[in-house]
């Protein structure tokens, strides 16, 4: 098994019910958030970032999705607590997202060390 997909743990993604399209959208969000170009609001002491679904489609045309499909992917990640969403009503309704509690599972790679340790243990037992 390949351990990582787009920089995320494949076993964790699988266990959370995410597919490659979900991971591509999440990678887009993380990379764009880290670029410093995303509109940010601090809500309850936590940083939330504005997502314009049309921009996701422009940046990731390979997904062959419509706006509603991108919305559903973000909702799915919120339902699984990978992301958190807040809607800001300022001249319209705008979705802002933050990292959720289960995001840490996707970037926890300690299982690789355990896998290697088990391989080494098996090699030494031979």
């Amino acid at each position: 098994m390949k351990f990582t997909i787009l920089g995320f743990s494949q076993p964790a993604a699988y266990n959370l019910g995410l597919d490659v399209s979900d991971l591509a959208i999440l990678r887009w969000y993380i990379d764009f958030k880290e670029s410093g170009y995303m509109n940010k609001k601090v809500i309850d002491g936590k940083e939330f970032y504005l997502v314009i679904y049309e921009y996701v489609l422009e940046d990731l045309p390979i997904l062959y999705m419509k706006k509603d499909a991108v919305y559903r992917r973000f909702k799915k990640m919120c339902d699984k607590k990978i992301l958190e969403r807040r809607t800001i009503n300022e001249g319209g309704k705008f979705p802002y997202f933050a990292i959720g509690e289960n995001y840490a599972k996707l970037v926890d790679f300690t299982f690789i060390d355990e896998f290697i340790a088990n391989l080494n243990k098996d090699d030494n037992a031979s």
Side-chain angles (χ1 to χ4, degrees):
M1 174 192 301
K2 182 167 175 33
F3 292 129
T4 63
I5 304 287
L6 297 171
F8 299 113
S9 162
Q10 182 175 200
Y14 180 82
N15 290 337
L16 288 165
L18 302 180
D19 64 21
V20 174
S21 294
D22 296 320
L23 295 179
I25 290 169
L26 184 58
R27 173 55 48 210
W28 174 90
Y29 171 80
I30 297 299
D31 291 349
F32 194 18
K33 172 179 93 63
E34 296 299 320
S35 75
Y37 292 110
M38 255 177 140
N39 187 338
K40 173 176 71 172
K41 289 197 179 287
V42 176
I43 304 168
D44 299 327
K46 193 167 191 174
E47 293 180 343
F48 285 78
Y49 296 85
L50 175 65
V51 170
I52 306 293
Y53 302 124
E54 291 88 355
Y55 292 172
V56 178
L57 295 171
E58 287 176 21
D59 284 349
L60 298 173
I62 196 166
L63 293 178
Y64 299 101
M65 288 184 183
K66 295 186 186 271
K67 178 181 168 183
D68 186 58
V70 173
Y71 159 80
R72 287 192 312 272
R73 298 293 179 135
F74 272 94
K75 183 180 182 322
K76 174 183 177 181
M77 286 187 269
C78 290
D79 291 346
K80 296 180 178 294
K81 298 184 179 181
I82 296 160
L83 296 175
E84 293 180 36
R85 178 189 165 130
R86 299 291 185 276
T87 301
I88 304 298
N89 295 309
E90 292 177 356
K93 289 186 175 184
F94 298 99
Y96 281 75
F97 294 89
I99 300 299
E101 64 186 68
N102 283 335
Y103 176 78
K105 293 177 181 178
L106 291 169
V107 293
D108 178 1
F109 301 108
T110 56
F111 71 93
I112 296 172
D113 294 334
E114 294 167 12
F115 178 82
I116 291 170
N118 286 334
L119 282 178
N120 290 335
K121 186 174 20 171
D122 290 344
D123 287 345
N124 291 335
S126 302

